[in-house]
mmCIF file of all heavy atoms in Angstrom:
data_model
loop_
_atom_site.group_PDB
_atom_site.id
_atom_site.type_symbol
_atom_site.label_atom_id
_atom_site.label_comp_id
_atom_site.label_asym_id
_atom_site.label_seq_id
_atom_site.Cartn_x
_atom_site.Cartn_y
_atom_site.Cartn_z
ATOM 1 N N LEU A 1 3.905 -3.284 -33.610
ATOM 2 C CA LEU A 1 4.212 -4.665 -33.226
ATOM 3 C C LEU A 1 3.640 -4.980 -31.849
ATOM 4 O O LEU A 1 3.022 -6.033 -31.638
ATOM 5 C CB LEU A 1 5.731 -4.875 -33.213
ATOM 6 C CG LEU A 1 6.441 -4.952 -34.565
ATOM 7 C CD1 LEU A 1 7.960 -4.936 -34.374
ATOM 8 C CD2 LEU A 1 6.030 -6.218 -35.313
ATOM 9 N N VAL A 2 3.838 -4.065 -30.910
ATOM 10 C CA VAL A 2 3.364 -4.288 -29.545
ATOM 11 C C VAL A 2 1.838 -4.284 -29.493
ATOM 12 O O VAL A 2 1.227 -5.103 -28.785
ATOM 13 C CB VAL A 2 3.953 -3.225 -28.596
ATOM 14 C CG1 VAL A 2 3.241 -3.255 -27.240
ATOM 15 C CG2 VAL A 2 5.450 -3.455 -28.411
ATOM 16 N N SER A 3 1.219 -3.392 -30.229
ATOM 17 C CA SER A 3 -0.253 -3.321 -30.219
ATOM 18 C C SER A 3 -0.870 -4.642 -30.657
ATOM 19 O O SER A 3 -1.882 -5.087 -30.100
ATOM 20 C CB SER A 3 -0.730 -2.190 -31.134
ATOM 21 O OG SER A 3 -0.375 -0.932 -30.602
ATOM 22 N N LYS A 4 -0.283 -5.283 -31.648
ATOM 23 C CA LYS A 4 -0.785 -6.583 -32.097
ATOM 24 C C LYS A 4 -0.660 -7.629 -30.992
ATOM 25 O O LYS A 4 -1.562 -8.440 -30.786
ATOM 26 C CB LYS A 4 -0.017 -7.042 -33.336
ATOM 27 C CG LYS A 4 -0.318 -6.233 -34.597
ATOM 28 C CD LYS A 4 0.505 -6.747 -35.788
ATOM 29 C CE LYS A 4 0.208 -5.936 -37.040
ATOM 30 N NZ LYS A 4 1.039 -6.398 -38.194
ATOM 31 N N ILE A 5 0.466 -7.592 -30.283
ATOM 32 C CA ILE A 5 0.674 -8.559 -29.195
ATOM 33 C C ILE A 5 -0.290 -8.299 -28.053
ATOM 34 O O ILE A 5 -0.874 -9.227 -27.478
ATOM 35 C CB ILE A 5 2.135 -8.489 -28.710
ATOM 36 C CG1 ILE A 5 3.076 -8.952 -29.823
ATOM 37 C CG2 ILE A 5 2.333 -9.334 -27.459
ATOM 38 C CD1 ILE A 5 4.543 -8.710 -29.547
ATOM 39 N N VAL A 6 -0.463 -7.026 -27.700
ATOM 40 C CA VAL A 6 -1.402 -6.665 -26.628
ATOM 41 C C VAL A 6 -2.808 -7.149 -26.974
ATOM 42 O O VAL A 6 -3.505 -7.758 -26.146
ATOM 43 C CB VAL A 6 -1.386 -5.141 -26.396
ATOM 44 C CG1 VAL A 6 -2.550 -4.725 -25.484
ATOM 45 C CG2 VAL A 6 -0.057 -4.697 -25.802
ATOM 46 N N LYS A 7 -3.229 -6.882 -28.199
ATOM 47 C CA LYS A 7 -4.566 -7.304 -28.643
ATOM 48 C C LYS A 7 -4.705 -8.823 -28.597
ATOM 49 O O LYS A 7 -5.746 -9.350 -28.169
ATOM 50 C CB LYS A 7 -4.826 -6.788 -30.050
ATOM 51 C CG LYS A 7 -6.231 -7.082 -30.562
ATOM 52 C CD LYS A 7 -6.446 -6.471 -31.952
ATOM 53 C CE LYS A 7 -7.864 -6.768 -32.453
ATOM 54 N NZ LYS A 7 -8.085 -6.175 -33.813
ATOM 55 N N LYS A 8 -3.683 -9.534 -29.015
ATOM 56 C CA LYS A 8 -3.712 -10.993 -29.015
ATOM 57 C C LYS A 8 -3.914 -11.555 -27.613
ATOM 58 O O LYS A 8 -4.516 -12.621 -27.437
ATOM 59 C CB LYS A 8 -2.415 -11.531 -29.611
ATOM 60 C CG LYS A 8 -2.348 -13.047 -29.693
ATOM 61 C CD LYS A 8 -1.046 -13.504 -30.329
ATOM 62 C CE LYS A 8 -0.977 -15.036 -30.371
ATOM 63 N NZ LYS A 8 0.301 -15.500 -30.978
ATOM 64 N N HIS A 9 -3.430 -10.821 -26.612
ATOM 65 C CA HIS A 9 -3.551 -11.283 -25.231
ATOM 66 C C HIS A 9 -4.697 -10.583 -24.486
ATOM 67 O O HIS A 9 -4.716 -10.537 -23.252
ATOM 68 C CB HIS A 9 -2.232 -11.085 -24.493
ATOM 69 C CG HIS A 9 -1.157 -12.025 -24.953
ATOM 70 N ND1 HIS A 9 -0.383 -11.777 -26.069
ATOM 71 C CD2 HIS A 9 -0.768 -13.241 -24.489
ATOM 72 C CE1 HIS A 9 0.463 -12.779 -26.250
ATOM 73 N NE2 HIS A 9 0.245 -13.682 -25.311
ATOM 74 N N GLY A 10 -5.641 -10.061 -25.251
ATOM 75 C CA GLY A 10 -6.874 -9.548 -24.661
ATOM 76 C C GLY A 10 -6.830 -8.131 -24.180
ATOM 77 O O GLY A 10 -7.809 -7.638 -23.605
ATOM 78 N N GLY A 11 -5.716 -7.425 -24.387
ATOM 79 C CA GLY A 11 -5.607 -6.062 -23.901
ATOM 80 C C GLY A 11 -5.913 -5.021 -24.955
ATOM 81 O O GLY A 11 -6.179 -5.342 -26.115
ATOM 82 N N PHE A 12 -5.879 -3.753 -24.549
ATOM 83 C CA PHE A 12 -6.057 -2.650 -25.494
ATOM 84 C C PHE A 12 -5.336 -1.420 -24.975
ATOM 85 O O PHE A 12 -5.086 -1.274 -23.775
ATOM 86 C CB PHE A 12 -7.537 -2.353 -25.742
ATOM 87 C CG PHE A 12 -8.289 -1.856 -24.529
ATOM 88 C CD1 PHE A 12 -8.418 -0.494 -24.277
ATOM 89 C CD2 PHE A 12 -8.891 -2.752 -23.647
ATOM 90 C CE1 PHE A 12 -9.120 -0.039 -23.179
ATOM 91 C CE2 PHE A 12 -9.590 -2.298 -22.545
ATOM 92 C CZ PHE A 12 -9.709 -0.940 -22.309
ATOM 93 N N GLY A 13 -4.973 -0.529 -25.898
ATOM 94 C CA GLY A 13 -4.256 0.684 -25.554
ATOM 95 C C GLY A 13 -5.171 1.839 -25.245
ATOM 96 O O GLY A 13 -6.298 1.909 -25.755
ATOM 97 N N VAL A 14 -4.693 2.758 -24.402
ATOM 98 C CA VAL A 14 -5.475 3.937 -24.029
ATOM 99 C C VAL A 14 -4.680 5.219 -24.245
ATOM 100 O O VAL A 14 -5.004 6.265 -23.673
ATOM 101 C CB VAL A 14 -5.974 3.845 -22.567
ATOM 102 C CG1 VAL A 14 -7.059 2.796 -22.439
ATOM 103 C CG2 VAL A 14 -4.826 3.542 -21.606
ATOM 104 N N GLY A 15 -3.624 5.155 -25.053
ATOM 105 C CA GLY A 15 -2.914 6.370 -25.431
ATOM 106 C C GLY A 15 -1.702 6.695 -24.590
ATOM 107 O O GLY A 15 -1.349 5.976 -23.653
ATOM 108 N N LYS A 16 -1.068 7.811 -24.926
ATOM 109 C CA LYS A 16 0.180 8.178 -24.264
ATOM 110 C C LYS A 16 0.016 9.238 -23.171
ATOM 111 O O LYS A 16 0.982 9.543 -22.467
ATOM 112 C CB LYS A 16 1.185 8.680 -25.305
ATOM 113 C CG LYS A 16 0.762 9.906 -26.087
ATOM 114 C CD LYS A 16 1.797 10.239 -27.156
ATOM 115 C CE LYS A 16 1.369 11.459 -27.969
ATOM 116 N NZ LYS A 16 2.336 11.767 -29.047
ATOM 117 N N GLY A 17 -1.186 9.778 -22.987
ATOM 118 C CA GLY A 17 -1.399 10.762 -21.926
ATOM 119 C C GLY A 17 -1.012 10.246 -20.556
ATOM 120 O O GLY A 17 -0.260 10.908 -19.819
ATOM 121 N N PRO A 18 -1.491 9.055 -20.166
ATOM 122 C CA PRO A 18 -1.105 8.505 -18.863
ATOM 123 C C PRO A 18 0.397 8.252 -18.768
ATOM 124 O O PRO A 18 0.992 8.372 -17.697
ATOM 125 C CB PRO A 18 -1.887 7.194 -18.788
ATOM 126 C CG PRO A 18 -3.014 7.376 -19.733
ATOM 127 C CD PRO A 18 -2.490 8.217 -20.842
ATOM 128 N N GLY A 19 1.013 7.896 -19.906
ATOM 129 C CA GLY A 19 2.447 7.667 -19.911
ATOM 130 C C GLY A 19 3.235 8.920 -19.617
ATOM 131 O O GLY A 19 4.287 8.886 -18.977
ATOM 132 N N VAL A 20 2.734 10.068 -20.070
ATOM 133 C CA VAL A 20 3.384 11.340 -19.781
ATOM 134 C C VAL A 20 3.373 11.596 -18.277
ATOM 135 O O VAL A 20 4.384 11.998 -17.675
ATOM 136 C CB VAL A 20 2.684 12.494 -20.528
ATOM 137 C CG1 VAL A 20 3.234 13.846 -20.066
ATOM 138 C CG2 VAL A 20 2.859 12.337 -22.031
ATOM 139 N N LEU A 21 2.224 11.344 -17.638
ATOM 140 C CA LEU A 21 2.124 11.533 -16.183
ATOM 141 C C LEU A 21 3.019 10.556 -15.443
ATOM 142 O O LEU A 21 3.684 10.918 -14.463
ATOM 143 C CB LEU A 21 0.671 11.362 -15.740
ATOM 144 C CG LEU A 21 -0.287 12.451 -16.206
ATOM 145 C CD1 LEU A 21 -1.717 12.079 -15.863
ATOM 146 C CD2 LEU A 21 0.078 13.795 -15.585
ATOM 147 N N TYR A 22 3.046 9.310 -15.901
ATOM 148 C CA TYR A 22 3.923 8.306 -15.287
ATOM 149 C C TYR A 22 5.376 8.761 -15.366
ATOM 150 O O TYR A 22 6.143 8.668 -14.400
ATOM 151 C CB TYR A 22 3.738 6.962 -15.992
ATOM 152 C CG TYR A 22 4.834 5.952 -15.710
ATOM 153 C CD1 TYR A 22 4.848 5.229 -14.521
ATOM 154 C CD2 TYR A 22 5.852 5.729 -16.635
ATOM 155 C CE1 TYR A 22 5.848 4.310 -14.264
ATOM 156 C CE2 TYR A 22 6.857 4.818 -16.391
ATOM 157 C CZ TYR A 22 6.853 4.103 -15.206
ATOM 158 O OH TYR A 22 7.859 3.205 -14.953
ATOM 159 N N ASP A 23 5.766 9.274 -16.517
ATOM 160 C CA ASP A 23 7.136 9.732 -16.729
ATOM 161 C C ASP A 23 7.481 10.892 -15.802
ATOM 162 O O ASP A 23 8.602 10.990 -15.305
ATOM 163 C CB ASP A 23 7.300 10.148 -18.192
ATOM 164 C CG ASP A 23 8.701 9.886 -18.714
ATOM 165 O OD1 ASP A 23 9.385 9.004 -18.156
ATOM 166 O OD2 ASP A 23 9.108 10.536 -19.687
ATOM 167 N N GLN A 24 6.518 11.758 -15.563
ATOM 168 C CA GLN A 24 6.759 12.927 -14.722
ATOM 169 C C GLN A 24 6.882 12.555 -13.247
ATOM 170 O O GLN A 24 7.614 13.198 -12.493
ATOM 171 C CB GLN A 24 5.631 13.945 -14.896
ATOM 172 C CG GLN A 24 5.581 14.609 -16.266
ATOM 173 C CD GLN A 24 4.328 15.447 -16.458
ATOM 174 O OE1 GLN A 24 3.365 15.359 -15.678
ATOM 175 N NE2 GLN A 24 4.325 16.279 -17.492
ATOM 176 N N LYS A 25 6.153 11.510 -12.816
ATOM 177 C CA LYS A 25 6.063 11.170 -11.398
ATOM 178 C C LYS A 25 6.866 9.931 -11.009
ATOM 179 O O LYS A 25 6.812 9.505 -9.857
ATOM 180 C CB LYS A 25 4.584 10.933 -11.025
ATOM 181 C CG LYS A 25 3.673 12.126 -11.284
ATOM 182 C CD LYS A 25 4.019 13.304 -10.397
ATOM 183 C CE LYS A 25 3.066 14.471 -10.579
ATOM 184 N NZ LYS A 25 3.434 15.635 -9.741
ATOM 185 N N LYS A 26 7.647 9.383 -11.932
ATOM 186 C CA LYS A 26 8.248 8.068 -11.696
ATOM 187 C C LYS A 26 9.267 8.052 -10.558
ATOM 188 O O LYS A 26 9.540 6.989 -9.997
ATOM 189 C CB LYS A 26 8.900 7.571 -12.983
ATOM 190 C CG LYS A 26 10.018 8.456 -13.515
ATOM 191 C CD LYS A 26 10.465 8.009 -14.888
ATOM 192 C CE LYS A 26 11.541 8.944 -15.453
ATOM 193 N NZ LYS A 26 11.893 8.583 -16.843
ATOM 194 N N PHE A 27 9.835 9.202 -10.213
ATOM 195 C CA PHE A 27 10.818 9.219 -9.139
ATOM 196 C C PHE A 27 10.219 9.630 -7.789
ATOM 197 O O PHE A 27 10.948 9.819 -6.816
ATOM 198 C CB PHE A 27 11.964 10.168 -9.483
ATOM 199 C CG PHE A 27 12.663 9.834 -10.777
ATOM 200 C CD1 PHE A 27 12.854 10.813 -11.740
ATOM 201 C CD2 PHE A 27 13.107 8.548 -11.039
ATOM 202 C CE1 PHE A 27 13.490 10.513 -12.929
ATOM 203 C CE2 PHE A 27 13.739 8.235 -12.225
ATOM 204 C CZ PHE A 27 13.927 9.221 -13.174
ATOM 205 N N ASP A 28 8.900 9.775 -7.729
ATOM 206 C CA ASP A 28 8.251 10.262 -6.510
ATOM 207 C C ASP A 28 7.777 9.150 -5.577
ATOM 208 O O ASP A 28 7.416 9.412 -4.435
ATOM 209 C CB ASP A 28 7.042 11.137 -6.869
ATOM 210 C CG ASP A 28 7.447 12.422 -7.573
ATOM 211 O OD1 ASP A 28 8.644 12.778 -7.514
ATOM 212 O OD2 ASP A 28 6.581 13.060 -8.191
ATOM 213 N N THR A 29 7.769 7.922 -6.070
ATOM 214 C CA THR A 29 7.187 6.821 -5.296
ATOM 215 C C THR A 29 7.781 6.674 -3.897
ATOM 216 O O THR A 29 7.038 6.406 -2.938
ATOM 217 C CB THR A 29 7.333 5.497 -6.071
ATOM 218 O OG1 THR A 29 6.726 5.646 -7.354
ATOM 219 C CG2 THR A 29 6.662 4.351 -5.330
ATOM 220 N N PRO A 30 9.102 6.812 -3.686
ATOM 221 C CA PRO A 30 9.637 6.613 -2.330
ATOM 222 C C PRO A 30 9.038 7.529 -1.274
ATOM 223 O O PRO A 30 9.044 7.182 -0.088
ATOM 224 C CB PRO A 30 11.137 6.889 -2.515
ATOM 225 C CG PRO A 30 11.415 6.534 -3.943
ATOM 226 C CD PRO A 30 10.186 6.983 -4.681
ATOM 227 N N TYR A 31 8.505 8.692 -1.687
ATOM 228 C CA TYR A 31 7.887 9.577 -0.700
ATOM 229 C C TYR A 31 6.651 8.950 -0.059
ATOM 230 O O TYR A 31 6.272 9.310 1.058
ATOM 231 C CB TYR A 31 7.492 10.903 -1.360
ATOM 232 C CG TYR A 31 8.635 11.846 -1.628
ATOM 233 C CD1 TYR A 31 9.222 11.908 -2.889
ATOM 234 C CD2 TYR A 31 9.127 12.693 -0.643
ATOM 235 C CE1 TYR A 31 10.265 12.783 -3.158
ATOM 236 C CE2 TYR A 31 10.168 13.578 -0.893
ATOM 237 C CZ TYR A 31 10.742 13.613 -2.154
ATOM 238 O OH TYR A 31 11.771 14.485 -2.415
ATOM 239 N N LEU A 32 6.008 8.023 -0.767
ATOM 240 C CA LEU A 32 4.832 7.355 -0.219
ATOM 241 C C LEU A 32 5.161 6.567 1.045
ATOM 242 O O LEU A 32 4.345 6.469 1.964
ATOM 243 C CB LEU A 32 4.227 6.415 -1.268
ATOM 244 C CG LEU A 32 3.136 6.974 -2.162
ATOM 245 C CD1 LEU A 32 2.866 6.032 -3.320
ATOM 246 C CD2 LEU A 32 1.859 7.214 -1.368
ATOM 247 N N ARG A 33 6.357 5.970 1.085
ATOM 248 C CA ARG A 33 6.750 5.180 2.256
ATOM 249 C C ARG A 33 6.842 6.062 3.489
ATOM 250 O O ARG A 33 6.379 5.698 4.571
ATOM 251 C CB ARG A 33 8.092 4.501 1.968
ATOM 252 C CG ARG A 33 8.605 3.631 3.092
ATOM 253 C CD ARG A 33 9.947 3.033 2.722
ATOM 254 N NE ARG A 33 10.847 4.076 2.243
ATOM 255 C CZ ARG A 33 11.887 3.838 1.454
ATOM 256 N NH1 ARG A 33 12.140 2.627 1.032
ATOM 257 N NH2 ARG A 33 12.670 4.835 1.072
ATOM 258 N N ASP A 34 7.428 7.255 3.329
ATOM 259 C CA ASP A 34 7.516 8.186 4.452
ATOM 260 C C ASP A 34 6.131 8.649 4.896
ATOM 261 O O ASP A 34 5.858 8.768 6.093
ATOM 262 C CB ASP A 34 8.347 9.414 4.053
ATOM 263 C CG ASP A 34 9.810 9.079 3.840
ATOM 264 O OD1 ASP A 34 10.089 8.070 3.164
ATOM 265 O OD2 ASP A 34 10.669 9.824 4.328
ATOM 266 N N PHE A 35 5.270 8.916 3.908
ATOM 267 C CA PHE A 35 3.901 9.349 4.215
ATOM 268 C C PHE A 35 3.183 8.294 5.050
ATOM 269 O O PHE A 35 2.539 8.604 6.061
ATOM 270 C CB PHE A 35 3.143 9.589 2.910
ATOM 271 C CG PHE A 35 1.660 9.785 3.078
ATOM 272 C CD1 PHE A 35 1.143 11.033 3.390
ATOM 273 C CD2 PHE A 35 0.778 8.720 2.927
ATOM 274 C CE1 PHE A 35 -0.231 11.219 3.547
ATOM 275 C CE2 PHE A 35 -0.591 8.896 3.077
ATOM 276 C CZ PHE A 35 -1.093 10.150 3.393
ATOM 277 N N PHE A 36 3.287 7.034 4.655
ATOM 278 C CA PHE A 36 2.595 5.971 5.381
ATOM 279 C C PHE A 36 3.191 5.789 6.767
ATOM 280 O O PHE A 36 2.464 5.531 7.737
ATOM 281 C CB PHE A 36 2.666 4.676 4.578
ATOM 282 C CG PHE A 36 1.718 3.606 5.060
ATOM 283 C CD1 PHE A 36 0.401 3.896 5.347
ATOM 284 C CD2 PHE A 36 2.159 2.299 5.233
ATOM 285 C CE1 PHE A 36 -0.484 2.919 5.802
ATOM 286 C CE2 PHE A 36 1.295 1.308 5.676
ATOM 287 C CZ PHE A 36 -0.027 1.627 5.966
ATOM 288 N N LEU A 37 4.507 5.942 6.889
ATOM 289 C CA LEU A 37 5.150 5.841 8.197
ATOM 290 C C LEU A 37 4.661 6.953 9.116
ATOM 291 O O LEU A 37 4.464 6.738 10.321
ATOM 292 C CB LEU A 37 6.672 5.909 8.031
ATOM 293 C CG LEU A 37 7.534 5.580 9.248
ATOM 294 C CD1 LEU A 37 7.238 4.183 9.786
ATOM 295 C CD2 LEU A 37 9.014 5.689 8.895
ATOM 296 N N ASP A 38 4.445 8.142 8.563
ATOM 297 C CA ASP A 38 3.888 9.251 9.345
ATOM 298 C C ASP A 38 2.517 8.919 9.917
ATOM 299 O O ASP A 38 2.095 9.472 10.933
ATOM 300 C CB ASP A 38 3.759 10.507 8.471
ATOM 301 C CG ASP A 38 5.098 11.127 8.113
ATOM 302 O OD1 ASP A 38 6.093 10.812 8.771
ATOM 303 O OD2 ASP A 38 5.129 11.934 7.154
ATOM 304 N N HIS A 39 1.792 8.018 9.222
ATOM 305 C CA HIS A 39 0.431 7.672 9.633
ATOM 306 C C HIS A 39 0.348 6.312 10.327
ATOM 307 O O HIS A 39 -0.712 5.685 10.370
ATOM 308 C CB HIS A 39 -0.502 7.687 8.414
ATOM 309 C CG HIS A 39 -0.756 9.057 7.869
ATOM 310 N ND1 HIS A 39 0.170 9.748 7.100
ATOM 311 C CD2 HIS A 39 -1.828 9.898 7.996
ATOM 312 C CE1 HIS A 39 -0.329 10.926 6.778
ATOM 313 N NE2 HIS A 39 -1.519 11.051 7.297
ATOM 314 N N GLY A 40 1.466 5.845 10.859
ATOM 315 C CA GLY A 40 1.451 4.619 11.657
ATOM 316 C C GLY A 40 1.611 3.337 10.866
ATOM 317 O O GLY A 40 1.352 2.249 11.395
ATOM 318 N N GLY A 41 2.027 3.435 9.622
ATOM 319 C CA GLY A 41 2.165 2.247 8.798
ATOM 320 C C GLY A 41 3.606 1.948 8.450
ATOM 321 O O GLY A 41 4.479 2.821 8.517
ATOM 322 N N ALA A 42 3.862 0.707 8.092
ATOM 323 C CA ALA A 42 5.177 0.296 7.607
ATOM 324 C C ALA A 42 5.013 -0.218 6.182
ATOM 325 O O ALA A 42 4.157 -1.064 5.923
ATOM 326 C CB ALA A 42 5.760 -0.796 8.493
ATOM 327 N N ALA A 43 5.809 0.291 5.272
ATOM 328 C CA ALA A 43 5.745 -0.132 3.877
ATOM 329 C C ALA A 43 7.157 -0.251 3.333
ATOM 330 O O ALA A 43 8.015 0.579 3.636
ATOM 331 C CB ALA A 43 4.943 0.858 3.042
ATOM 332 N N ASP A 44 7.390 -1.274 2.561
ATOM 333 C CA ASP A 44 8.707 -1.447 1.956
ATOM 334 C C ASP A 44 8.561 -2.302 0.705
ATOM 335 O O ASP A 44 7.440 -2.680 0.322
ATOM 336 C CB ASP A 44 9.690 -2.080 2.932
ATOM 337 C CG ASP A 44 11.121 -1.574 2.723
ATOM 338 O OD1 ASP A 44 11.344 -0.767 1.805
ATOM 339 O OD2 ASP A 44 12.023 -1.990 3.491
ATOM 340 N N VAL A 45 9.681 -2.629 0.085
ATOM 341 C CA VAL A 45 9.665 -3.365 -1.177
ATOM 342 C C VAL A 45 10.633 -4.539 -1.128
ATOM 343 O O VAL A 45 11.611 -4.539 -0.380
ATOM 344 C CB VAL A 45 10.035 -2.460 -2.366
ATOM 345 C CG1 VAL A 45 9.031 -1.327 -2.504
ATOM 346 C CG2 VAL A 45 11.444 -1.904 -2.223
#
């Protein structure tokens, strides 16, 4: 069902491999804010 909708709106699928990586790393994003702060930057949401 979703693939038909994606195609209708000009998109296309590239498989579940990237989704596996996303699932594994999804809780790591907040560490990026600390990393950028270490390098003189401010980042927030």
Side-chain angles (χ1 to χ4, degrees):
L1 287 171
V2 168
S3 292
K4 290 179 180 178
I5 295 170
V6 169
K7 184 177 180 180
K8 181 179 178 181
H9 289 83
F12 65 93
V14 289
K16 61 184 179 182
V20 172
L21 292 173
Y22 164 79
D23 212 24
Q24 292 171 347
K25 301 294 184 182
K26 61 189 177 185
F27 303 129
D28 294 344
T29 304
Y31 284 98
L32 268 168
R33 181 181 50 203
D34 292 46
F35 169 84
F36 194 46
L37 190 57
D38 290 343
H39 290 77
D44 213 358
V45 299

